[in-house]
Amino acid sequence: MIGGSPVSQAIQQLRQAFPQGVEEGASLAPHTAARLGGPAEVLLTVRSGEELQRAAELIWSLDLPLRVLGGGSNVLVADAGVKGV
């Protein structure tokens, strides 16, 4: 992640909006039922539907991929990880 890249800019904006919920390169294995999988380029944890809506609007406005993990069941994450948020 290069300092001027769209993802780096998005991380800065996400950290401003959600100071406690942004992690770069976080393993997704602890967040899935199978306990398998590589890192998320950016992992954002939200605590409410309203936060999810605000996050989705911000991420979409930055033209970045967004994936919602939910409870982590019925999901397999590649060892290579996931691009985007």
Side-chain angles (χ1 to χ4, degrees):
M1 286 174 255
I2 300 168
S5 76
V7 173
S8 293
Q9 293 170 11
I11 290 168
Q12 290 174 352
Q13 291 184 31
L14 287 168
R15 282 198 172 126
Q16 288 174 351
F18 304 95
Q20 304 300 317
V22 179
E23 297 177 63
E24 292 180 71
S27 173
L28 291 175
H31 303 283
T32 66
R35 301 294 186 235
L36 301 171
E41 188 170 19
V42 180
L43 176 64
L44 173 63
T45 303
V46 296
R47 304 284 181 216
S48 68
E50 292 81 17
E51 283 190 358
L52 176 58
Q53 180 178 350
R54 285 189 312 135
E57 289 171 354
L58 175 57
I59 293 162
W60 290 332
S61 75
L62 298 168
D63 200 27
L64 292 173
L66 169 66
R67 291 177 179 80
V68 178
L69 185 58
S73 61
N74 296 324
V75 174
L76 293 176
V77 178
D79 289 340
V82 177
K83 294 286 184 192
V85 184

